[in-house]
Amino acid sequence: MANTSSNSIGAIGFIFACLGAVFCWLPILGGLFWLIGAVFSCIGLGYRNNGLAWCGFWISLAWIICYFIFGLIFSTFTYLTIYPLYIW
């Protein structure tokens, strides 16, 4: 564990998790931002001052839960993949 006063990895994870939530309507970009945010937030939990890392973790967790809930409602998980681009 690093013994630093700032947690830049946790902050990066929070920023990417927020970007993933904002761009969730874009098929590939939203998922990519979510994945990067989840990974950096989980890494940032091991450092001191991990408040932003926890926020990024919970945003990422909420995003994946919503993904599965919407997938169960619409009976498909293709609404956040490349498939909607073929319709346009």
Side-chain angles (χ1 to χ4, degrees), residues 10 13-15 17-18 34 37-38 41 51-61:
F14 174 72
I15 290 168
C18 288
W34 165 77
S41 293
L52 287 176
W54 276 111
C55 290
F57 172 76
W58 287 113
I59 290 171
S60 298
L61 185 67

Side-chain angles (χ1 to χ4, degrees), residues 14-63:
F14 174 72
I15 290 168
F16 275 105
C18 288
L19 286 174
V22 169
F23 291 109
C24 65
W25 57 277
L26 292 173
I28 297 172
L29 191 63
L32 182 67
F33 284 155
W34 165 77
L35 183 65
I36 293 170
V39 168
F40 277 120
S41 293
C42 288
I43 292 171
L45 290 176
Y47 293 92
R48 293 181 141 199
N49 298 331
N50 56 4
L52 287 176
W54 276 111
C55 290
F57 172 76
W58 287 113
I59 290 171
S60 298
L61 185 67
W63 195 88

